[in-house]
Amino acid sequence: MTSGDGSLLRTAAERLELLAGRTTAGDWRSGGLLASRPEVIAHYADGSTEHVAEARAGTARWITALSPAIAGPLTTWLRSAADGDAVDPAAVALARTLLDRLP
């Protein structure tokens, strides 16, 4: 990895943190009354909820930034980390978080 690569990784991490700070908070889960039209609901620590669609200004950039286009590079990185001599603890933490949320 070159020093430019490290800078690239840090910049991406910083931008993701900033975007997360501007996005509707909470634990997003699908729900709603109709299975054919599920809704995404943000659940907050205080027990309150908010429909993510009602907070579009805070979620649109998050949704587009983490679109399915991210899956390819992310899965490549997870597989690369798994095949390395020493597994990066950050990759393990991400995998655990994903597995808690993925069907």
Side-chain angles (χ1 to χ4, degrees), residues 12-77:
E14 182 179 326
R15 287 187 187 177
L16 185 59
E17 279 180 331
L18 290 170
L19 180 59
R22 293 189 307 262
T23 300
T24 302
D27 178 18
W28 292 15
R29 297 183 226 154
S30 60
L33 300 175
L34 300 173
S36 62
R37 296 188 62 152
E39 299 171 353
V40 178
I41 302 165
H43 295 257
Y44 298 107
D46 67 2
S48 65
T49 61
E50 179 180 20
H51 286 80
V52 172
E54 293 175 3
R56 281 189 197 111
T59 60
R61 287 189 182 206
W62 180 263
I63 292 167
T64 57
L66 296 176
S67 76
I70 297 300
L74 183 58
T75 57
T76 298
W77 176 69

